[in-house]
Amino acid sequence: MQLVGQAIKHKVFGKGIVTGRDNNVLTVDFSAGEKRFLFPDSFSSFLSLQDGGLQNEIQALLQEKHAKQHAKQQEIAKEKARRDYLRSLKIVPNSQAVFNLKKEEIAKAFADWSVCTGYYLSGYSKGKPRTLDRLAPNSICVLTHCKNGMIEQDRRIIGAFMVPEDFLGSECEDGIIQAHEIYRMKLAPKDELLFWPYLQETPPTKAWGSVAFRYLSNITAAKILFDMKEAVRGTGEQEHAEQFYEHFCKINKLNLSF
């Protein structure tokens, strides 16, 4: 936009001529002397061009700038609301989930970074997706698999992810849980962990059953994440795993020492 040489008017200094423009600073020569103004901000209240076409272009720039500022303010407000919500989140002691992935489900789970809660097998809700009422933004989904030919005691933890920060299990009607964009992790086969030792506080019978998921305590889930980060120590995944673990403990208000 060529503004140098254009006739301009100021509410106080009267008529003038634009003599220079350096990025967002406009220089104008008035009878009272040379003045500098922010561009295009000053056109919202003090300045106006004699050329109507250029004036309209500047108004369009102002509208675009104001729209960007408004969008940025909304993002800041949204982020503040998100942080306030997480700080006030009521923590339920057993609000974590562990999933049984069948062989044919593993590739899709890690490609889409999502899991299915399965379906009710009987009762009024038979055939409908199972709900996870306990899951909230503080929850993780631990992913496990028992390979064909292996005994149930050899079930392995193959990955884990946090749920999104706006997730509420009671509102998950389709039974699909998407992973958090950042806090998610897939273990290499050499780093996979045995699952059942983490449930030593439960009866010793190691049987999964027909359900797609079961609940875990927050402390048990934290121990799993701790061991996952230890398993990848010294690899390129170490820093990410440590951030994952620290985020989980912070959001669940846990101060642990394993």
Side-chain angles (χ1 to χ4, degrees):
M1 184 184 298
Q2 180 55 256
L3 294 177
V4 176
Q6 293 293 326
I8 200 168
K9 186 177 181 180
H10 189 275
K11 284 187 176 181
V12 175
F13 302 118
K15 296 179 179 179
I17 297 293
V18 179
T19 56
R21 177 186 172 189
D22 182 12
N23 293 324
N24 64 334
V25 176
L26 205 65
T27 304
V28 182
D29 187 25
F30 296 101
S31 59
E34 194 174 75
K35 308 292 180 183
R36 289 178 175 80
F37 305 92
L38 286 177
F39 177 85
D41 307 63
S42 297
F43 284 87
S44 63
S45 54
F46 302 111
L47 297 175
S48 60
L49 289 170
Q50 181 175 315
D51 187 314
L54 287 176
Q55 180 66 25
N56 289 338
E57 287 185 42
I58 292 174
Q59 291 303 316
L61 285 177
L62 282 170
Q63 291 177 1
E64 181 181 357
K65 184 174 182 178
H66 291 160
K68 288 180 178 179
Q69 290 174 337
H70 180 66
K72 185 176 181 179
Q73 290 171 350
Q74 285 187 317
E75 283 298 315
I76 293 173
K78 183 179 178 181
E79 176 63 14
K80 182 179 182 302
R82 182 189 71 83
R83 291 183 179 181
D84 290 344
Y85 170 70
L86 293 178
R87 278 196 294 267
S88 63
L89 186 67
K90 183 179 179 180
I91 304 300
V92 179
N94 296 285
S95 56
Q96 316 303 323
V98 54
F99 284 78
N100 169 35
L101 295 185
K102 299 175 182 177
K103 181 179 179 180
E104 63 272 16
E105 297 172 331
I106 294 176
K108 187 177 188 306
F110 287 118
D112 299 344
W113 278 107
S114 66
V115 289
C116 178
T117 62
Y119 302 89
Y120 289 105
L121 302 178
S122 62
Y124 178 79
S125 300
K126 182 178 180 180
K128 294 181 180 180
R130 292 186 65 195
T131 57
L132 297 94
D133 294 340
R134 301 182 195 175
L135 264 62
N138 66 299
S139 302
I140 64 167
C141 295
V142 177
L143 310 180
T144 72
H145 173 60
C146 188
K147 295 180 181 179
N148 292 338
M150 284 189 173
I151 58 175
E152 179 59 35
Q153 285 87 335
D154 289 330
R155 176 177 295 277
R156 302 276 173 162
I157 296 171
I158 60 177
F161 63 76
M162 294 290 303
V163 301
E165 292 179 356
D166 60 353
F167 181 85
L168 290 175
S170 59
E171 298 178 0
C172 182
E173 297 180 353
D174 63 359
I176 303 298
I177 306 176
Q178 298 291 337
H180 192 285
E181 292 184 355
I182 299 174
Y183 301 114
R184 55 193 189 187
M185 186 175 173
K186 178 184 179 182
L187 290 173
K190 67 179 180 62
D191 298 323
E192 293 173 357
L193 308 170
L194 284 171
F195 168 68
W196 288 108
Y198 291 99
L199 300 189
Q200 291 179 352
E201 72 277 11
T202 62
T205 303
K206 297 177 175 61
W208 186 272
S210 58
V211 296
F213 73 92
R214 58 176 63 200
Y215 289 110
L216 282 178
S217 73
N218 299 355
I219 294 177
T220 298
K223 175 59 175 170
I224 290 173
L225 286 181
F226 178 87
D227 288 347
M228 286 176 65
K229 77 179 181 68
E230 292 302 302
V232 299
R233 183 171 295 279
T235 72
E237 285 290 306
Q238 178 179 336
E239 183 178 358
H240 176 67
E242 290 175 346
Q243 291 172 350
F244 190 167
Y245 172 72
E246 290 169 4
H247 173 78
F248 177 83
C249 290
K250 181 178 180 180
I251 198 173
N252 280 281
K253 301 178 175 60
L254 295 173
N255 185 13
L256 302 172
S257 178
F258 293 114

